Amino acid sequence: MAIAEVPRFVRADGPDKVTGSGRYAADINLTGQLVAKFRYAGVSHARITKLDTSAASAMPGVFAVLTAADVPDVIYSPVVPDRRLFAKDVVRFEGELVAAVAAVDAATAQAAADAIVVEYEDLPIVDDLEAAMADGSPLVHQDWESYAVTGDTVQRPNVASFSSIEKGDVDAAMANADHVVMSRYVADGCHALPIEPRAVVAQWEGEKVTIWTSTQVPFDARAGVCETLQMPASKVRVIVPHLGGGFGGKCGFHFEAHVAALAKAARRPVKLVFSRQEEMVAPDRRREGMIVDITSGVKADGTLVARSGWIAIDNGAYTADAAFFPQLAAMHVAGPYAMEAVKIEASLVYTNHQPSGSVRAPTAPQACWALESHTDELAAMVGMDPVEFRRANIVDEGIEGAAGQVYGEIGLRRCLDAAVEASAYGDDLPDNEAVGVAISWWPSFPGPSGAYIKIDSDGSGMVITGAQECGTGSVMTLRMLAAKELGMEPEDFQLVYQDTSAAPYDTGATGSQTLLNNGRAVVEGAREVAAQLRDLAADRLEAAPDDIVLASGKAHVSGSPDKAVSIVELAGVAAEGEMLIGKGSGTPPEYPSVSAVCVGDQGLAGWAGPQFACHAVHVRLDRETGVVRVLDVSAAHDSGTIINPVAAHGQVEGGIMMGVGQALTEGTQYGDDAKQRNTGLLEYKLQTAADAPTIHTEFIEIPDPNAGPYGAKGLAEAPNVPTAAAIANGVAKLVGMPVRQLPMTAERVWMTSEGMSS
Amino acid sequence: MSFTIATTVDEALVALGAGARPIAGGTDLVVGARHGKAALPADLVAIDRIDELGGVELDSAGVRVGALMSHAEVMTDPVIVGSYTAIADASALVGSPSTRHVGTLGGNVMNGSPAMDTGAPLTVLGATAELRSVTGGRTVSLDELWAGPGRTTANPGELLVALHLPPARDRCGSAYVRLEYRRAMEIAVVGAAAAVTLAADGTVASVAVALAAVAPTILSVDGVNEALVGRTAAAAGPVAGALASEQAAPISDLRASDRYRRHCIGVMAKRAVDAAARRADGESIAVPVNRSIGIGAA
C-alpha cells in the first residue's frame, strides 16, 4: 500500500549523482588546503620502542605531524572504550594509526609519513578465536579490566563482550529429543566496500571547526570529535556532501578528529582521501568472522524441542560498536523458531585483526547461514522436506520465540509460502540445479529523531532533517510523507539534510532506522504545518479548521472541493505574519519485554518491529570445478507497510547481491602475520552486474502498530540476511552435504564434494 | 620525461629506439602503476593512433592481425570468429566492456602475464609475432617471445606490429575456456585453449592444447597430438585433460591452491578440446564458449 497514488521512485539526488554534477566529500577543495596521510602500524601486534617524527617534521612542505602525544589522552568507543586516536605504547592491528601528517601535496605528505621512524618489539599475535579464549592465551589488551564499560556488558580475558540467551532446561529437553544434531560452521570476515573510499576535509574558523566527511552518521561523527578532542558540540559542525555508499562501513566515528587535529595544528584546511587499500584496512568497520556451533534436539515428528549454541565472533583489535554483536548473533542462531528450551552463549573475541563493526545486518548473514544450513540438516535427519520442517517450527502470532518474546501478527509464514511458491522449488530440475530455501529475521531499531518542516512564501516546502542518505533512498522518501500530510507533491519539497548545525538529531543511516524514526518526526512536523494551513484556510473559507481538507495543492472545505484556496496563496499570507513552520520528533516505538534470561544484555532480546523474510534461491553447480552460479532469487519480505515500493525493491535487490557475494566470493584472507592479503578489488571479488540473478520480490505488508509511520518497519538490512543461507542450502542439495565455510568459494565447494577438508 | 604521439610505425620506432616505452590501451601499464606494481616509464610513445597497426588482413601466408586490434574488435571480427575462434573466446572474456574497448591484442601478448587470455589461443593456432625496430624486423614464435612472468625476449627498441596466423584448415575448430569465479572483471585462475582438426571419419586428425596460468608462461601441452590423433572427439577430451593436469606447474596464491589449479586445468583442457572438436564438426557455439556451455549458459 504505497502512500503515493502512483508508485514511483521519489529521489531528489538522482539526477546530480547520475550526471556527475553531484559533489562528494573528495570533491571539496578549500583555499590553502593541505593533504593528510597516515602512518599505519604495518604490524599486527607490537610494542612501540621508538617513535621519532623529527625528520618528517623538518621536511619542506610539512605543516603538521601528530602522534598520540599531540592529542588529548582520551580512550573512547561506545560501551567498551578501548582505543585512542593514535596508538599509545602498543599497536594491535596493521591498520592502526601511529601518526598523521599534513603537507602541501600528497607526495610530500606520503614521504613525511614514511620518514617517521617507528621501532617495534614484537608481541605474540592473537588471531585464532578459540585459542584466544583459552586460559593462558596472550592478551590483546593487557588492561582490559580497567576499561570503563557501560551497561550490563560482561567481559573476560580476550572477550570484549559476552551475551547469552537461556530459557527452559536445555539438558532435559535434549534428553527427550529423538535426534540430536551438532553442526559447526565457520565464516570468514568480509568488507562493506562502498564504492566511494572515504574522504574528510576539516577547516577551522577561530575555535570552531567544520568537517565535511563521508559518514553515514553525522551526529555520531560529531560526538566522536567532541569526545576525543574534548570540544563542546557547539564548536563542531559536521556536513556530509553526497555519500557514495556505506553499507555500514561508514557508520561510527572514524578519522574526522584526526583531520580536524591536523588542520588545527597546521592552521590550514586539511583533506584526507583514502585509497581502496586504506578503505579495506584502516576503518573499524568490517564484517566479523565467526565460528558457530549449534546443537538441536528434534522429535521424530519434526518438532524442534531444544537448541544450544556456542558462538565466537572476531572483534578484531578494538571494540568499535560491536558490544551488542554477541546478543544479535545469539538471536540469529536461535532464529525465528519456537522451542521449549534454549541456551546460546556468544563471545566477542579480541584478535589482532582489523576491528569489526556494524556492516549491513551485523552478525546476521553468517549466523543465519549457519542456522539455516543446520536446519536443513535437521530436516534431513527426520526425513522431512526442509520447507515443511520450517512450517512446523517457525514462530507466528501468539507463539513465543526462543528468547521469550510473544509475537503479534507477523508475516513469516506468508513469506515462506510466497518465496517458495514463486521459485522453482519442487520442480523437476536438471541434476546440476537446485533451489535452497532460508528464512530470517531482523529487528527494527527505535530511537530519538527530529525534523523541521516549513513552507516558504512561494508555496515550496522544505524538509530539514538530521537524517542521512546513504543511497537507500529513505531520506528521499521523507518527502513523500510530508507531501501526503500537506496535500502536496513530493517534488514540492526540497531537502536540507546531512548537516549537524542545520537540523535536529538523528541516529543516521544505520540500523535500517531512517523511515522508522525520522519518518515519524517528519509526519509530526508536517502535521503541525497542516494545522497552521487549516487555520488559515478556515479563516478564508469561513469554515471550521476541522472541516478543511488538504489535497492536490489546495485547502478545501470537506465535501465542497470548489470551496478552496491554494496552498501557494496561503503560504503567501503566512509569509506576512505567522510563518508555516513545523517541528516533529515523537515517541519512539517500545522494545517488548521477554522472558528469557540474558547475561550481558544489550537490550536486543526483545525486538520492536521484527522483520521477517524468506529467500528461495535457484543455483546451478559446475560439479567439476565447484563454481556456483545463482540463477534466480525469489524473495518475500515482511517489513510492515511499504512506503516507497520502487526504493524498497532496490533495497531487496541490493541486499541480495551483497548476500551472493558473501556466499560465494567475498572473504578476507589473512596471512600468518594476521595481515589481510586481499586488500584490492582484483583479489577481493565483489559480484558484478553480469553476475546478477533474476530477482523476484514480494512484500507481505502487515502494518505494525509498534513501528514506524503507517506501520512501516525497517528494510535496509533484512534483505542481506538470508541470501547466503538459501544459496548454501541449494549447494548442499547438489553436493550432498553442506559446505561448512563461508564464503563457499569454488575451491571449497569442490573440496567438500571430493570429501576433502581445507 | 616525455610523451610522444606517433602516427606512423617509423615514428614510434624512433621513439622506442631513444628509450621510450609504448602505450596503446594502457590497461596494464596505467593500472599497474596505480597499484604500485611498476612506476610509469618516464618516456612514453603513444601508438594508439597508428593506422598500420590495426586491422585483419588475409594473404597467401594466412592472416595478419594488427597488434592494435582491441579485444572488442577481435571478439567480433568475422575472420577471427570464423576461423580462429579461440582468440575471440579469449578477447571476449577480458575485463569489462571498457577494458575490451581500449585493451589491445598486442598489449596482452607483450605484457607477458602467464594468466593472459589470448596467449593460449594464439599458441594453439600457431601464431607468430612480427617485431620491428629501427634496424629492421624479425618474426618469432610465441614460445620464443615469452621468457617468463611479465618478460619477453623482445629488445627495448622492438615493437610488436602484428601477429600472423597460418591459413585456416578445413574441419578445424578452436576454443578457449577458462575457470572464472564471476562473469566480468575476472582474471584467469586457469585457462586452456585447443585447436582440433577432424578427419573425414570424425576422428582427430591433429590437435594442439595450451594452458594459461599454470606455469611461468603459456604452456603447450606436450604429446597431446600423438596421444589424440585417431581417437574420436568424445574420447579426446579426457585424455587431453589428464595430460594437462600432469604437465601443469601451478602455484598457490590468493586465487586458488596449486592442487585445485592442477585439477581445474584438466577440466578446462577437456572442455576446450570438446568445444573445439564440436566447432570443427561444424557446430556453431557462440563466442565466448564460457557463456555458451555448461554453467555459463543462460
Side-chain angles (χ1 to χ4, degrees):
Chain A
M1 55 175 77
I3 64 164
E5 303 272 312
V6 182
R8 66 185 194 275
F9 193 26
V10 179
R11 229 184 142 139
D13 58 352
D16 285 348
K17 287 181 173 173
V18 170
T19 60
S21 67
R23 285 291 167 263
Y24 295 79
D27 293 321
I28 290 176
N29 289 301
L30 302 172
T31 304
Q33 172 181 291
L34 304 174
V35 175
K37 291 284 180 191
F38 291 153
R39 174 64 181 258
Y40 296 102
V43 295
S44 295
H45 199 193
R47 185 175 306 283
I48 299 171
T49 54
K50 183 179 179 185
L51 176 56
D52 182 355
T53 60
S54 54
S57 299
M59 290 171 69
V62 173
F63 281 66
V65 181
L66 300 180
T67 69
D70 304 302
V71 293
D73 187 23
V74 173
I75 186 158
Y76 68 93
S77 270
V79 186
V80 183
D82 59 5
R83 74 177 305 186
R84 294 174 167 84
L85 290 179
F86 295 100
K88 186 182 177 187
D89 303 327
V90 174
V91 295
R92 297 183 174 87
F93 77 106
E94 58 173 318
E96 184 156 4
L97 267 60
V98 174
V101 174
V104 286
D105 56 37
T108 307
Q110 189 60 60
D114 294 342
I116 295 168
V117 177
V118 196
E119 290 176 8
Y120 296 111
E121 172 193 316
D122 284 348
L123 292 171
I125 285 172
V126 179
D127 63 353
D128 179 287
L129 297 178
E130 288 176 287
M133 293 172 74
D135 287 344
S137 166
L139 295 175
V140 176
H141 290 262
Q142 292 292 339
D143 301 334
W144 66 275
E145 284 173 288
S146 72
Y147 295 153
V149 298
T150 53
D152 295 332
T153 308
V154 173
Q155 295 199 305
R156 294 168 183 169
N158 274 343
V159 173
S161 173
F162 168 89
S163 289
S164 68
I165 296 171
E166 191 166 359
K167 188 187 79 165
D169 184 338
V170 167
D171 294 338
M174 287 285 183
N176 278 331
D178 295 312
H179 303 281
V180 173
V181 176
M182 300 169 65
S183 307
R184 166 166 281 209
Y185 289 90
V186 179
D188 293 342
C190 60
H191 288 285
L193 266 176
I195 288 303
E196 175 205 29
R198 73 198 62 213
V200 182
V201 182
Q203 174 169 259
W204 290 79
E205 292 169 277
E207 291 304 306
K208 290 187 180 179
V209 65
T210 302
I211 303 170
W212 293 264
T213 177
S214 27
T215 181
Q216 290 174 248
V217 287
F219 286 92
D220 247 25
R222 184 182 70 173
V225 172
C226 294
E227 183 182 4
T228 55
L229 299 184
Q230 300 189 330
M231 295 175 64
S234 58
K235 300 273 196 270
V236 182
R237 180 179 189 183
V238 171
I239 301 172
V240 186
H242 283 319
L243 186 68
F247 308 100
K250 293 171 184 165
C251 288
F253 152 66
H254 293 271
F255 306 102
E256 290 84 4
H258 303 88
V259 180
L262 280 173
K264 187 171 197 184
R267 303 175 70 85
R268 291 257 216 129
V270 173
K271 177 174 176 177
L272 171 78
V273 181
F274 262 9
S275 67
R276 174 60 60 194
Q277 190 190 18
E278 287 176 296
E279 186 62 39
M280 292 181 81
V281 172
D284 54 9
R285 285 293 186 290
R286 54 94 202 226
R287 192 182 285 289
E288 52 292 329
M290 206 186 285
I291 302 173
V292 180
D293 286 341
I294 320 179
T295 303
S296 298
V298 283
K299 292 285 200 185
D301 68 356
T303 306
L304 179 63
V305 292
R307 171 161 300 152
S308 66
W310 180 92
I311 305 163
I313 304 164
D314 187 354
N315 188 33
Y318 297 100
T319 307
D321 71 340
F324 67 101
F325 285 15
Q327 193 164 30
L328 259 189
M331 287 296 288
H332 279 91
V333 166
Y337 293 95
M339 61 198 86
E340 57 184 79
V342 62
K343 182 177 184 181
I344 300 175
E345 298 187 328
S347 300
L348 183 68
V349 183
Y350 279 121
T351 65
N352 294 118
H353 290 154
Q354 177 189 18
S356 298
S358 286
V359 173
R360 199 176 193 173
T363 76
Q366 311 95 300
C368 177
W369 162 75
L371 169 66
E372 288 296 279
S373 298
H374 174 76
T375 301
D376 270 26
E377 292 186 277
L378 295 176
M381 177 60 83
V382 295
M384 273 175 86
D385 172 83
V387 171
E388 288 308 319
F389 182 87
R390 286 174 174 79
R391 286 195 176 112
N393 287 294
I394 54 177
V395 293
D396 209 337
E397 185 170 2
I399 294 178
E400 187 184 90
Q405 181 175 355
V406 179
Y407 297 95
E409 187 186 3
I410 57 173
L412 177 57
R413 187 172 300 277
R414 286 170 60 193
C415 285
L416 179 58
D417 292 345
V420 170
E421 173 64 27
S423 76
Y425 193 85
D427 294 357
D428 216 7
L429 295 172
D431 70 357
N432 65 341
E433 294 181 17
V435 175
V437 175
I439 58 168
S440 64
W441 62 357
W442 183 251
S444 298
F445 293 89
S449 187
Y452 306 127
I453 310 292
K454 65 169 184 162
I455 296 180
D456 284 336
S457 59
D458 64 351
S460 66
M462 189 173 282
V463 177
I464 303 157
T465 171
Q468 169 69 39
E469 175 63 54
C470 70
T472 62
S474 56
V475 173
M476 305 298 125
T477 302
L478 295 171
R479 304 191 306 164
M480 295 171 71
L481 296 172
K484 182 171 170 63
E485 295 300 323
L486 293 165
M488 295 164 68
E489 293 300 318
E491 290 80 1
D492 294 336
F493 289 84
Q494 294 180 72
L495 280 163
V496 171
Y497 59 122
Q498 305 179 170
D499 181 343
T500 57
S501 292
Y505 174 85
D506 179 77
T507 316
T510 178
S512 311
Q513 69 89 41
T514 302
L515 271 189
L516 188 85
N517 294 311
N518 202 245
R520 172 188 74 236
V522 166
V523 169
E524 274 208 9
R527 281 179 183 162
E528 283 197 3
V529 177
Q532 289 180 280
L533 284 172
R534 285 196 188 95
D535 283 345
L536 282 172
D539 262 6
R540 308 264 297 191
L541 302 172
E542 298 176 339
D546 286 353
D547 289 336
I548 301 294
V549 175
L550 301 174
S552 306
K554 292 184 178 128
H556 70 81
V557 178
S558 179
S560 308
D562 294 340
K563 220 177 155 188
V565 55
S566 75
I567 290 173
V568 173
E569 192 178 332
L570 293 175
V573 173
E576 301 298 321
E578 189 182 343
M579 294 188 288
L580 297 171
I581 303 170
K583 64 175 191 316
S585 177
T587 312
E590 288 177 4
Y591 282 97
S593 61
V594 297
S595 62
V597 177
C598 297
V599 175
D601 193 1
Q602 303 289 320
L604 284 168
W607 291 355
Q611 304 159 56
F612 298 91
C614 178
H615 290 182
V617 180
H618 186 167
V619 298
R620 183 186 285 162
L621 169 67
D622 182 350
R623 291 183 181 278
E624 289 182 303
T625 63
V627 174
V628 172
R629 193 173 149 209
V630 177
L631 301 176
D632 187 277
V633 179
S634 298
H637 281 262
D638 167 13
S639 277
T641 303
I642 298 301
I643 308 260
N644 184 346
V646 178
H649 278 275
Q651 281 305 293
V652 174
E653 289 159 13
I656 285 169
M657 281 314 294
M658 203 164 164
V660 173
Q662 285 165 235
L664 301 177
T665 55
E666 289 187 52
T668 292
Q669 300 184 43
Y670 288 104
D672 293 339
D673 55 5
K675 292 161 76 167
Q676 296 182 55
R677 299 176 66 212
N678 53 339
T679 56
L681 296 183
L682 180 62
E683 304 296 2
Y684 183 98
K685 296 210 183 286
L686 293 170
Q687 295 291 298
T688 71
D691 300 294
T694 304
I695 296 172
H696 169 90
T697 304
E698 201 166 322
F699 291 108
I700 307 299
E701 295 194 58
I702 301 170
D704 187 330
N706 186 43
Y710 304 97
K713 303 190 262 197
L715 179 60
E717 291 162 293
N720 191 212
V721 181
T723 313
I727 292 170
N729 284 337
V731 171
K733 279 186 188 176
L734 295 168
V735 172
M737 67 184 79
V739 178
R740 297 182 182 278
Q741 287 173 289
L742 199 67
M744 298 171 287
T745 61
E747 183 163 357
R748 286 171 171 173
V749 172
W750 173 72
M751 290 180 71
T752 303
S753 63
E754 294 288 310
M756 294 185 272
S757 62
S758 59
Chain B
M1 192 175 284
S2 69
F3 187 79
T4 308
I5 299 173
T7 54
T8 65
V9 169
D10 287 340
E11 280 174 25
L13 295 180
V14 169
L16 289 177
R21 303 304 307 142
I23 179 164
T27 56
D28 287 310
L29 201 68
V30 175
V31 175
R34 283 199 183 146
H35 285 179
K37 200 167 156 188
L40 271 185
D43 300 306
L44 287 170
V45 53
I47 57 169
D48 60 313
R49 298 177 195 187
I50 304 176
D51 291 341
E52 310 159 60
L53 292 179
V56 173
E57 289 165 24
L58 285 158
D59 58 31
S60 57
V63 175
R64 176 191 184 277
V65 184
L68 208 54
M69 286 282 286
S70 72
H71 294 294
E73 291 169 333
V74 168
M75 65 186 268
T76 53
D77 182 87
V79 173
I80 295 174
V81 172
S83 302
Y84 306 93
T85 326
I87 307 172
D89 285 334
S91 281
L93 292 179
V94 170
S96 65
S98 56
T99 325
R100 292 193 289 271
H101 276 87
V102 293
T104 63
L105 184 63
N108 202 220
V109 167
M110 295 308 285
N111 190 51
S113 164
M116 74 172 90
D117 285 307
T118 60
L122 288 166
T123 300
V124 296
L125 291 165
T128 55
E130 182 188 347
L131 301 171
R132 276 178 58 191
S133 70
V134 285
T135 57
R138 60 179 177 132
T139 297
V140 297
S141 73
L142 295 176
D143 195 35
E144 289 170 81
L145 181 68
W146 293 317
R151 289 188 293 121
T152 70
T153 55
N155 299 316
E158 284 183 317
L159 181 69
L160 175 72
V161 294
L163 291 146
H164 293 271
L165 294 159
R169 283 180 281 187
D170 285 344
R171 302 265 290 161
C172 178
S174 66
Y176 173 71
V177 182
R178 86 177 181 193
L179 177 64
E180 51 186 359
Y181 299 146
R182 61 183 179 193
R183 290 160 64 85
M185 298 303 293
E186 189 58 300
I187 190 161
V189 183
V190 294
V196 173
T197 307
L198 295 179
D201 64 357
T203 61
V204 173
S206 76
V207 60
V209 177
L211 314 175
V214 291
T217 61
I218 299 298
L219 184 74
S220 285
V221 178
D222 276 344
V224 70
N225 196 55
E226 295 81 336
L228 298 190
V229 168
R231 289 182 188 260
T232 62
V239 177
L243 284 170
S245 284
E246 199 179 297
Q247 292 175 29
I251 56 166
S252 287
D253 64 10
L254 292 166
R255 292 168 204 160
S257 71
D258 53 356
R259 176 170 64 170
Y260 180 62
R261 273 202 171 91
R262 187 179 293 284
H263 164 77
C264 286
I265 195 61
V267 177
M268 296 304 119
K270 181 185 71 175
R271 290 177 183 179
V273 168
D274 284 344
R278 284 165 60 190
R279 280 177 172 157
D281 200 30
E283 187 178 341
S284 172
I285 306 173
V287 168
V289 172
N290 267 49
R291 300 282 174 273
S292 296
I293 60 171
I295 192 171

